[in-house]
Amino acid sequence: METITMKRKSLPEDVVMLILAQLPVKSIMRFRCVSKQWHSLLCSSYFRDLHRSIQDAKGNRHFLISLSHDRLDLCLHAISEDNDDKRPTLVGRITNVAGGHKARLAAPPCEGLVCLSVDEQQSVIVCNPTTREVVCIPDATPHHSKLFDGSLLGLGVDSVTKEHKLVRLFTREGPDSLALPTFEECEVYTLGSAGWRPLGEIPYLLSWRSPALVNGALHWIACAINSGWLCIAAFDLHEERFRPISHPSCFKNSLGWPIMELLEMGGRLCVMHHWRVTGVEIWVLEGYEEGTWVKKHSINIHSIERYHLNELFTHDTHLSTIITANARFCWLSTYLLYTYDPTTGTLRRFDVQSANDYKYCNLCTMSLIPLVDN
């Protein structure tokens, strides 16, 4: 077995990797500069997978909460889930981003990768804020650009090949239209490939809300074209096709998707059902293949009214709702990020006023996933 010499002692390579995999990503980036041997070791796919599995087990995730622009640099700010000082910190700086001052989150982060639209033409980039790598995504196919006015993006990972893919849906209605968005066609792009692959028509009317990535598929609240009933449409990132999956019983009594939201909680698919304007219900898909839904939480807004959280259940703010793996609910307002534990009734506030420019709320891991060849 190969060994790595560390002063007077020699350690097996697998032991060294196990030790280093406990460290945060920024430390790993520094250790890559120690020697060519360490660079090769820490850039290997085996070490990346080992590091991600250990960090995921620790639950080291951040609330990625804003973008700011410094000359041609794009800065991403975040707050750790367990940060005691409750202040946002700089977690990534992407240099020389043309049009970066107009950057917006184009899709929820996936395994540490962030998808952004960066200019008036809505050009798309995917970046890893920790490694500072960035790739420019090709424009949509000319056919789609000419025929359609709006599009919706989703970023995910193929559970079989481990490739990261972007899914773009096209509609003739813009996001501000009062008409029901009819996403007519779809195309897929695999990171590192030559271009987009058209997949043809979509058999659903899909919600404008961002999709939830669970079990190798992107999920949308949808309306079946043939029946008109609400459902959940899953786009399998390996097979690259849509299929319906089971939905909770709250769908039967719902007035429509404006009061429904799909989220991911600890690797499971969740439905957040906003009911009676006074609270929310959280339904969790316990068995994905079996289609078993369980109502986990029912939160009445009056129980947390003393914290002045009424505004968090309005249309403007519940779009930024996320749920952590340990079932903490998070809402973003203009100057504060709130987290609420429904089990203990504990509320935490994070001051995000210093995080300027575009604010949003999403969970993001700090990862070593490469976007360019090392």
Side-chain angles (χ1 to χ4, degrees):
M1 178 179 293
E2 293 186 17
T3 61
I4 292 180
T5 302
M6 300 177 65
K7 292 186 177 181
R8 297 181 180 178
K9 296 183 179 180
S10 296
L11 294 175
E13 187 176 278
D14 56 345
V15 175
V16 173
M17 285 195 290
L18 188 59
I19 294 172
L20 295 178
Q22 311 294 325
L23 300 176
V25 172
K26 287 189 176 181
S27 298
I28 301 299
M29 297 299 294
R30 290 196 296 268
F31 285 140
R32 283 180 175 180
C33 302
V34 170
S35 67
K36 290 183 179 180
Q37 185 181 13
W38 276 42
H39 184 274
S40 176
L41 178 75
L42 300 181
C43 288
S44 66
S45 58
Y46 175 81
F47 179 79
R48 288 197 303 267
D49 293 341
L50 175 64
H51 183 269
R52 185 168 68 241
S53 64
I54 290 177
Q55 297 303 314
D56 287 347
K58 290 181 177 180
N60 291 339
R61 297 212 287 183
H62 293 70
F63 301 122
L64 195 62
I65 48 89
S66 80
L67 294 169
S68 64
H69 187 257
D70 179 14
R71 296 183 181 179
L72 290 179
D73 293 352
L74 188 63
C75 304
L76 293 93
H77 305 270
I79 295 176
S80 172
E81 282 192 73
D82 300 312
N83 192 358
D84 292 330
D85 62 17
K86 303 180 182 180
R87 294 281 180 172
T89 58
L90 181 68
V91 295
R93 179 186 291 269
I94 310 301
T95 59
N96 297 320
V97 179
H101 62 288
K102 297 183 180 295
R104 293 291 185 271
L105 189 70
C110 171
E111 294 189 339
L113 303 185
V114 180
C115 180
L116 305 168
S117 62
V118 293
D119 55 29
E120 293 179 351
Q121 286 72 40
Q122 296 186 346
S123 300
V124 177
I125 65 171
V126 173
C127 64
N128 185 329
T130 309
T131 64
R132 299 190 178 187
E133 294 176 336
V134 58
V135 293
C136 297
I137 305 302
D139 293 335
T141 55
H143 164 75
H144 290 128
S145 300
K146 292 179 180 179
L147 290 181
F148 300 100
D149 296 324
S151 65
L152 181 67
L153 281 170
L155 174 64
V157 58
D158 187 321
S159 59
V160 178
T161 66
K162 306 304 179 184
E163 295 174 312
H164 290 82
K165 297 181 179 181
L166 278 169
V167 179
R168 193 190 324 245
L169 312 177
F170 292 93
T171 178
R172 298 183 191 275
E173 304 291 344
D176 297 326
S177 172
L178 297 178
L180 198 65
T182 306
F183 289 95
E184 299 182 27
E185 295 190 20
C186 171
E187 62 182 13
V188 176
Y189 175 76
T190 302
L191 294 190
S193 65
W196 292 87
R197 301 186 303 279
L199 297 183
E201 296 182 354
I202 301 172
Y204 299 96
L205 307 180
L206 302 181
S207 166
W208 268 102
R209 294 185 186 276
S210 297
L213 175 64
V214 176
N215 203 40
L218 293 169
H219 300 78
W220 280 272
I221 299 288
C223 181
I225 293 178
N226 54 353
S227 66
W229 291 101
L230 281 182
C231 62
I232 297 177
F235 181 83
D236 189 295
L237 289 162
H238 181 64
E239 298 180 358
E240 297 187 352
R241 65 181 181 88
F242 282 95
R243 62 183 177 89
I245 67 169
S246 68
H247 54 75
S249 59
C250 62
F251 271 49
K252 298 178 181 179
N253 301 320
S254 174
L255 297 177
W257 58 41
I259 60 174
M260 295 287 190
E261 192 169 357
L262 285 181
L263 301 164
E264 177 265 341
M265 183 180 76
R268 294 175 296 175
L269 186 64
C270 300
V271 169
M272 174 173 279
H273 180 208
H274 299 263
W275 54 280
R276 301 177 187 173
V277 196
T278 60
V280 293
E281 292 178 345
I282 301 298
W283 293 75
V284 179
L285 183 56
E286 294 285 5
Y288 190 88
E289 298 300 331
E290 298 80 9
T292 306
W293 286 90
V294 177
K295 184 166 71 172
K296 284 289 187 180
H297 300 283
S298 182
I299 304 176
N300 192 318
I301 190 172
H302 297 300
S303 65
I304 51 177
E305 193 171 24
R306 63 185 181 277
Y307 297 117
H308 307 291
L309 291 180
N310 303 65
E311 72 275 10
L312 297 179
F313 289 87
T314 65
H315 176 72
D316 291 336
T317 51
H318 76 240
L319 291 176
S320 295
T321 304
I322 56 175
I323 307 179
T324 67
N326 53 2
R328 282 188 294 180
F329 301 90
C330 311
W331 296 277
L332 182 66
S333 65
T334 305
Y335 301 116
L336 294 171
L337 173 70
Y338 299 87
T339 67
Y340 176 72
D341 187 333
T343 304
T344 63
T346 303
L347 180 87
R348 297 184 70 194
R349 293 185 183 90
F350 299 86
D351 181 7
V352 297
Q353 186 171 2
S354 59
N356 297 321
D357 297 348
Y358 175 53
K359 292 185 175 69
Y360 54 91
C361 185
N362 234 300
L363 282 178
C364 184
T365 58
M366 303 295 107
S367 78
L368 294 168
I369 293 177
L371 290 173
V372 296
D373 294 333
N374 293 300

